[in-house]
Amino acid sequence: MLILRDITYIHPDKDQLFTGINLTVNDHEKIALVGNNGSGKSTLLKIIAGILQPSAGILSSSEMPYYVPQLVGQYNDLTIAQALDIDTKLQALKGILAGDVTEENMTLLDDDWTIEERCAEAMSYWKLEGLDLQQKMASLSGGQKTKVLLAGLTIHQPEIVLLDEPSNHLDTEGRELLYHYIQTTNGSLVVVSHDRVLLNMLNNVAELSTQGLTLYGGNYDFYAEQKAMEESALNENLRDREKALRKAKETEREMMERQQKLDARGKKKQEKAGVPTIAMNTLRNNAEKSTAKAKDVHAEKIDSIAKEVGRLRNELPGADKMKIALDNSSLHKGKVLVTAKDINFRYAERSLWRTPLSFVITGDERMVIKGLNGSGKTTLIKILLGILQPTAGLIQRADINALYVDQDYSLIDNKLSVYEQAQQYNLDHLEEHEVKSRLNRFLFTKEYWAKPCSTLSGGEKMRLMLCCLTIGNKAPDMIILDEPTNNLDIQNIKILTAAINEYKGCVIVVSHDTRFVEEIGIEGVMELVIRN
């Protein structure tokens, strides 16, 4: 069992991320942790995993959870065995079997005589049979690194598992293995994911937001229905309060006009009646005080309604606030951008692809590059961009403006602040207020402008990159997206989908998110098969 009581986390820069978080995860319970990018989902998982300490609150757990992080680059300098935290046990077992039966080796092994068998079983299940446990993690693809850490589930057999976007870098085969594990495990799960297939396999949803943590019984589809009902009620309430605000302002205006007419009429009567000047001044002052008092009452009412309208608007989903439109390519649809004939690429004196690749990419192409992890999808992208040259075959590229969105968001400079990053794309010398207005449109309010880009979540970096594209105002001829939905929440996936659907140039995408691929109208498929 896992219990969180009044958990608060404050960033080192003193910004409060969340407060008063309460959650109980019972034995065998499977919970989806959802929320907008930047709400603190990954941070909360790190607190549960013991990697971060909460600023306040109490956390208790029946055992140390097994944690699979979203980003795995920190393991690059480790061997597979070290990343799985099994290297000392394996060395101890090896020593014992070789006759070195010391007390130290026996303590390190801790009677875990089946460790080698479980390692073999895990590597087989996750399709990692060809890997050596002493191999460096840096030599693996992103999907292989994730599979290695998932293999730890079979090896360690933990009771409590924390998964942060586990399907991000997995190919279709890997995702199916993950889905099977989630459906069959008896352990307790807390999973952060935007994979809607995966989310529907979990029986509870916990939403993290500025209001705290809200629990919803049922899977993701049930949660989405409840949220749609809540948002419909919120919009209806907002419309009612906006109508009340207009009515209150109209009532105030009518009151002021009526009072002005009464005052003018009274003044004329007093003048006709010959009321002394001193008395008229007294009457005028009394009338002005009465008018001011009535005006204050109306102003207070209007201010109260206006604040409520502002609060309701702030509760609207981010997708309702953000608007994006990518310019279209100026190239004609049939223009040939890339021509390849029998190309291949060699790694360590070995050709990468079983069959050399031949293709033509035109200005209106919409194509997905598919293949298992390690099949060379990123290598092909770099060849398309001219970063790498094929070691066999011929390739011709037109002089085009290509935009490459990689998995690490390299377009974003982590050393810059959010505003400085936006200014890097301000080629048309927009005024400062206009740049900040664009940032606001993409949900980067004043509090974000001075923040270092290094503190942004993956989804926030994607959103900032899209904002920069609108500021740059230069239409790319080709957009290449390498797993673009990996670090986006579902709302931002919808925004990106709408933007790509509006764009009329060439789109090349690498993605295992089948729903996203369908929704952006992909027509062509290039399947990569590596040489055995």
Side-chain angles (χ1 to χ4, degrees), residues 202-255:
L202 307 170
N203 48 26
N204 285 291
V205 174
E207 182 191 56
L208 186 59
S209 68
T210 53
Q211 280 75 45
L213 196 69
T214 305
L215 291 175
Y216 294 80
N219 64 8
Y220 182 80
D221 281 347
F222 175 81
Y223 158 79
E225 290 174 6
Q226 296 300 306
K227 288 297 293 182
M229 292 168 61
E230 290 176 10
E231 288 166 14
S232 176
L234 175 62
N235 277 296
E236 186 175 350
N237 194 10
L238 176 58
R239 287 192 294 270
D240 288 344
R241 299 320 292 160
E242 286 174 336
K243 183 178 179 181
L245 181 60
R246 290 193 297 270
K247 181 65 176 177
K249 288 181 177 179
E250 183 181 345
T251 300
E252 181 191 39
R253 180 181 55 78
E254 291 174 349
M255 183 275 296

Side-chain angles (χ1 to χ4, degrees), residues 434-447:
E434 177 60 24
V435 174
K436 289 180 176 178
S437 175
R438 299 282 182 95
L439 286 169
N440 267 309
R441 190 191 307 169
F442 284 81
L443 311 184
F444 293 106
T445 54
K446 183 178 180 180
E447 293 74 22

Side-chain angles (χ1 to χ4, degrees), residues 281-482:
N281 287 339
T282 300
L283 292 170
R284 185 179 68 250
N285 289 338
N286 289 339
E288 288 175 352
K289 288 179 182 179
S290 177
T291 300
K293 185 176 180 180
K295 187 175 181 180
D296 286 345
V297 170
H298 281 278
E300 186 176 344
K301 181 178 181 181
I302 289 172
D303 183 61
S304 175
I305 299 174
K307 285 180 179 177
E308 189 176 0
V309 167
R311 178 184 62 78
L312 291 171
R313 283 176 179 164
N314 285 334
E315 290 180 13
L316 285 174
D320 288 352
K321 303 175 188 176
M322 193 189 316
K323 302 297 178 185
I324 178 173
L326 291 178
D327 289 334
N328 297 327
S329 168
S330 58
L331 300 177
H332 65 82
K333 293 182 178 180
K335 180 176 175 61
V336 175
L337 307 185
V338 182
T339 302
K341 183 172 177 58
D342 296 329
I343 65 169
N344 214 322
F345 194 84
R346 295 180 72 85
Y347 280 110
E349 304 304 317
R350 183 181 177 86
S351 294
L352 180 57
W353 298 301
R354 181 189 300 170
T355 304
L357 306 178
S358 297
F359 54 82
V360 175
I361 297 175
T362 59
D364 59 346
E365 187 81 52
R366 295 226 160 192
M367 181 176 70
V368 61
I369 300 174
K370 300 178 70 174
L372 299 178
N373 289 130
S375 61
K377 297 185 292 293
T378 300
T379 297
L380 178 57
I381 285 175
K382 290 180 178 178
I383 290 174
L384 293 177
L385 293 168
I387 298 171
L388 293 177
Q389 295 298 324
T391 54
L394 297 173
I395 188 165
Q396 292 179 310
R397 307 178 192 86
D399 183 15
I400 58 172
N401 173 27
L403 172 70
Y404 175 41
V405 182
D406 64 11
Q407 297 179 43
D408 298 320
Y409 309 110
S410 300
L411 292 173
I412 302 298
D413 187 340
N414 286 329
K415 298 188 294 294
L416 300 178
S417 69
V418 169
Y419 177 71
E420 289 168 342
Q421 174 66 46
Q423 280 287 26
Q424 294 290 306
Y425 284 78
N426 188 12
L427 304 179
D428 289 340
H429 306 291
L430 300 176
E431 295 291 336
E432 180 178 336
H433 71 86
E434 177 60 24
V435 174
K436 289 180 176 178
S437 175
R438 299 282 182 95
L439 286 169
N440 267 309
R441 190 191 307 169
F442 284 81
L443 311 184
F444 293 106
T445 54
K446 183 178 180 180
E447 293 74 22
Y448 275 92
W449 297 341
K451 276 190 175 184
C453 291
S454 59
T455 66
L456 300 180
S457 68
E460 287 172 325
K461 286 183 179 180
M462 171 65 89
R463 189 149 32 90
L464 179 57
M465 185 204 65
L466 293 174
C467 179
C468 288
L469 293 181
T470 67
I471 292 172
N473 199 31
K474 187 177 181 182
D477 303 312
M478 175 191 290
I479 296 177
I480 301 179
L481 304 169
D482 193 352

